[in-house]
Amino acid sequence: MFIRRTRTRSHNEDYVTFRLVRSERTGTKVQQRTLLNLGRHFEIAPPDWPRLCQRIEDILAGQLPLSPDTPAALEEHAQRIAAQLLARAPRGAPAAHRAPDVQAVDVNSLALLRPRTVGVEQVALWALDQLGLRELLKTLGLGPSLRAAAVGAIVARLAQPGSERAARRWLRERSALDELLGVSFDTLGPMRLYRASDALMAHREAIEKHLFQQALDLFTLAPTITLYDLSNTYFEGEAAHQPQARRGHSKDKRTDCPLLTLGLALDASGFVRRSQVFAGNVREHHTLAGMLNALDTPPGALVVMDRGIATGERLAWLRKQGYRYLVVSRERTRQFDPEGAVRLDTASGHGVQLQRVLDEDAQEVRLYCYSEARAAKEQGIAERFAQRFETALTQLSEGLAKPRTRKRIDQVHQRIGRLKENSHGIAQHYDITVDTDPTGQRATAVRFTRHARPGSMMTHPGVYCLRSSETDWDEDTLWRTCFMLTDVEAVFRALKSELGLRPIYHHKPLRAEGHLFITVIAYQLVQVIRTRLRRTGEHASWTTLRRILEGQQRITATFRRTDGRTLHVRKATLAEPPQQAIYDALGIDSSPGGIQKTLV
């Protein structure tokens, strides 16, 4: 066994690769066979090549303990290359058709090598194939290496959300995905995942259309309602070279960072129809027309939106274009008449009262809703802010009786103004007066009384309003249809907390959008997995499913046989009951990668 340096010419470019070669005698001839391509960036210096090859031979022969005089870097490469050689062994037949294989081994020689996670990878590849994404990438002209890198980037986003650098580290050091794909990620270059991201972005529209249509066909669904909403993520660093990075209202409360906004149009089934990236300071209602036009949404389609987008101007535009709509109203004054309301019991056990009001002039219906659970939450929030505001005013008043405190009337009013500014709107419910001394220049006390403002959260907690062009719908239909917006919020929570949407580290605009697009693709896979599992009664979040699946690993067991030869067996650990339940529900093999045996 030795290492050969080979010069290769491709596309008018000369480059050097390194290969692990073995001389083998066949009859009277000696032939050299390439065992492994070590790539273009082989780090071991030529003087250490013989020592490396000898160490690889020793590992394959079962001499596993690290020799004291072997450098750590050389030992690491030897272990990795030996594992790759063992992984290239032919896979055995499925367990159901496997004949018994009885061998005599020294049990004390057992060693377990190269543990790599395989459960999440197996399920992710199943979802990829359900949507036909690997075949689509081939049709779009991506080569084998780039396709493998693209699949690696997407699966890494499901299994170990993070940056592309973190994904490369996970693919090389922790995952058995390359074994399932029949490739090697050990030589994955630092730029390969970035190029894969660029390739996915180049075919973004085709990929989104394909994934959405495949999802509908897979679950026999028909496109019905367009749910539209936006959220934002943030950059680490100044993002000086990102033209769309802007400071604005951060939904993650990261006002210290430049932002980027992601808009999603979803179907009622929860699958993404289209995604689009906007500047971080974009106004939500300015994005609606462009997104619907890009979707080729036909007139008459029903559009469901949150209050941030549902301005009067946008609603007028929807009516003019012939769209139907159901939105959360932006009106600030709350009103509700329990006498004219009907009660609806929700799945959570909390009641909702619904008051339907028809506006014939505007050809619009309004649904005023009172939620018991929401009322309890808003009452708690309002009371907490009120107590905090009153405590601050009381402390300010008591301080005026102490020496060396600021008592000038203008300074006291400034402090009251700051308290109002930080009161989260609760100050509007208070009348505040300041007592002064006879000169009128110094404050002596601050007095306040609470007067709840009519039509506010203090007087109408738990009340909100829906507006719709569907004037013939009843209360139940209006409320349940708009309730789908909570699914959109759940999507954004999944993208951010489960699939690594935030933060963004990229300096190039295309790479930042690619990071978001890979996350959206990963979400589509999660939606396929969870939709199939829900039909079997499993409603766990992706975080829970991932935690269950990542416990299964592929491991190489090495034994010394009684005849002196070494047997290497690589297989997945036995699926535990929760893992087996997921595999059975999806109809996939619970022993990912099969069994590989090598006798040295």
Side-chain angles (χ1 to χ4, degrees), residues 210-241:
H210 174 87
L211 293 182
F212 180 65
Q213 189 57 52
Q214 285 292 109
L216 296 184
D217 294 343
L218 180 63
F219 296 106
T220 319
L221 302 171
T224 52
I225 298 171
T226 299
L227 305 170
Y228 183 54
D229 204 356
L230 291 89
S231 188
N232 49 39
T233 183
Y234 58 89
F235 287 91
E236 288 287 2
E238 292 298 322
H241 302 290

Side-chain angles (χ1 to χ4, degrees), residues 127-140:
L128 273 168
D129 291 337
Q130 291 291 300
L131 293 176
L133 183 55
R134 284 201 280 179
E135 188 62 32
L136 174 66
L137 296 180
K138 184 177 180 180
T139 304
L140 293 174

Side-chain angles (χ1 to χ4, degrees), residues 469-489:
S469 59
E470 300 302 293
T471 56
D472 56 341
W473 282 12
D474 60 14
E475 295 90 342
D476 182 89
T477 304
L478 287 167
W479 185 82
R480 293 192 184 279
T481 304
C482 197
F483 190 71
M484 293 177 184
L485 279 173
T486 60
D487 294 336
V488 183
E489 296 171 359

